[in-house]
């Protein structure tokens, strides 16, 4: 009788079929208009003059320089943001200290500041007429209109992604497991390696994926500090803009299609990570509760 009542409650609280189908249809139409069609247009325009013209556009020296600079910038910015994100999230989620709210606000700052404004900030500080400009010029150090400025601007606009992915996750997990490991004799590094890191592994992967995608696609801040020097300080988004302004549409869409492919690869990696996380969660749910001896073995490993 109780099972019948429960089934009846589920039926009455479930949306009608037409509501579900309407929501699904709206979601599919939205994805078609704002995701599938733009992507299809990019690849269609890129291949409009054939595969040969497409490959020639990607072989062009300035395009290779833009691709190389984009990858170098991401390779520098993402690991630095990874270290900062883990440290900031660990401090904010696991400890209480004076200035914690201020640190949390600073982490969110790039989300509230326009990328163009962040680029202008670096010009104000490191530019020829900036605060440190004369000293840098006297010591022959170039930051603005050079690779270091591009890297700094990219780091600024991308550093919240990993920290913001980890902070709520680590706050929800609490500190009980770390405290248990320390009581059992584990050092700080052993606690981080065997307790904290496995717990935040998937959040860390998501944060790195998002950070890398933003680093490779950043336009506003990089545009301000780069100087648009072809073959030297143009990343892929900037190179696409220049080609399009010069009415080289096939070449512009060819480089844009490469950015789109990188975005699709990022989406695939994220989907695989989510699928693997779901598998691990199901597997861990089927296991019996971990015994204290198992925790002791982890702590002394």
């Amino acid at each position: 009788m109780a099972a019948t009542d429960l089934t009846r409650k589920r039926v009455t609280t479930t949306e009608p079929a037409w509501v579900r189908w309407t929501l699904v249809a709206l979601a599919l139409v939205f994805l078609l208009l704002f995701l599938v069609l733009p992507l299809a247009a990019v690849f269609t325009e890129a291949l409009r003059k054939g595969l040969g013209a497409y490959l020639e556009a990607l072989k062009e020296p300035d395009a290779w320089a833009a691709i190389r600079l984009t990858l170098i910038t991401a390779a520098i910015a993402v690991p630095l943001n990874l270290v900062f994100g883990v440290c900031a999230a660990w401090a904010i989620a696991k400890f209480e200290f004076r200035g914690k709210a201020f640190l949390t606000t600073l982490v969110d700052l790039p989300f509230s500041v326009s990328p163009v404004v962040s680029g202008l900030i670096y010009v104000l500080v490191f530019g020829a007429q900036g605060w440190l400009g004369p000293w840098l010029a006297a010591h022959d150090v170039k930051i603005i209109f050079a690779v270091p400025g591009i890297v700094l601007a990219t780091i600024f606009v991308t550093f919240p992604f990993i920290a913001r992915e980890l902070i709520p996750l680590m706050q929800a997990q609490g500190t009980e497991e770390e405290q248990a490991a320390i009581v059992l004799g584990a050092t700080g590094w052993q606690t981080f390696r065997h307790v904290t890191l496995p717990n935040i592994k998937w959040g860390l992967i998501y944060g790195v994926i998002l950070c890398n995608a933003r680093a490779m696609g950043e336009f506003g801040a990089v545009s301000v500090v780069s100087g648009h020097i072809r073959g030297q300080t143009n990343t892929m988004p900037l190179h696409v803009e220049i080609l399009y302004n010069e009415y080289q549409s096939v070449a512009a869409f060819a480089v844009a299609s490469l950015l789109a492919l990188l975005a699709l690869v990022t989406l695939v990696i994220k989907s695989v990570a989510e699928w693997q996380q779901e598998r691990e969660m199901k597997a861990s749910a089927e296991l019996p509760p971990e015994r204290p001896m198992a925790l002791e073995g982890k702590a002394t490993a």
Side-chain angles (χ1 to χ4, degrees), residues 49-293:
K49 293 186 178 179
L51 184 60
Y54 177 84
L55 295 177
E56 284 297 323
L58 295 180
K59 290 179 182 177
E60 202 262 333
D62 289 343
W64 269 111
I67 295 170
R68 184 169 58 252
L69 179 58
T70 301
L71 296 177
I72 290 173
T73 302
I76 297 173
V78 174
L80 291 177
N81 283 327
L82 173 63
V83 175
F84 168 80
V86 172
C87 294
W90 199 355
I92 291 172
K94 303 294 184 180
F95 302 101
E96 293 295 333
F97 55 91
R98 183 178 297 177
K100 178 177 176 179
F102 180 66
L103 177 59
T104 306
T105 303
L106 288 180
V107 170
D108 292 333
L109 183 63
F111 286 145
S112 58
V113 175
S114 168
V116 174
V117 174
S118 64
L120 289 173
I121 291 171
Y122 282 102
V123 173
L124 176 64
V125 175
F126 300 110
Q129 307 300 323
W131 297 346
L132 302 179
W135 185 90
L136 293 172
H139 292 80
D140 196 25
V141 177
K142 290 196 68 176
I143 294 181
I144 300 302
F145 306 151
V147 175
I150 295 173
V151 173
L152 286 174
T154 303
I155 290 173
F156 179 84
V157 299
T158 58
F159 82 78
F161 286 93
I162 296 176
R164 264 295 150 210
E165 193 70 33
L166 293 180
I167 289 172
L169 177 62
M170 296 176 78
Q171 286 176 335
Q173 291 171 351
T175 60
E176 290 80 6
E177 293 187 22
E178 284 87 353
Q179 291 174 357
I182 292 173
V183 168
L184 292 172
T187 63
W189 170 247
Q190 289 174 331
T191 302
F192 175 77
R193 182 182 174 186
H194 295 289
V195 179
T196 305
L197 191 59
N199 288 339
I200 66 172
K201 175 176 63 176
W202 294 113
L204 197 61
I205 292 174
Y206 296 155
V208 168
I209 290 172
L210 295 174
C211 180
N212 183 68
R214 177 64 184 272
M216 290 191 297
E218 175 55 33
F219 179 85
V222 172
S223 177
V224 174
V225 302
S226 71
H228 294 267
I229 306 173
R230 297 185 72 153
Q232 297 182 35
T233 62
N234 273 344
T235 57
M236 291 171 66
L238 301 183
H239 189 60
V240 170
E241 182 200 26
I242 288 177
L243 291 174
Y244 191 77
N245 289 337
E246 294 177 350
Y247 302 102
Q248 302 182 44
S249 60
V250 173
F253 280 106
V255 180
S257 70
L258 191 57
L259 275 173
L261 283 174
L262 291 173
L264 291 175
V265 169
T266 300
L267 182 62
V268 170
I269 294 173
K270 182 176 181 295
S271 299
V272 171
E274 289 176 344
W275 173 75
Q276 186 64 31
Q277 181 190 21
E278 187 176 352
R279 283 189 58 190
E280 288 192 5
M281 290 179 63
K282 288 182 179 179
S284 62
E286 296 173 357
L287 293 175
E290 191 173 10
R291 296 181 179 178
M293 288 298 294

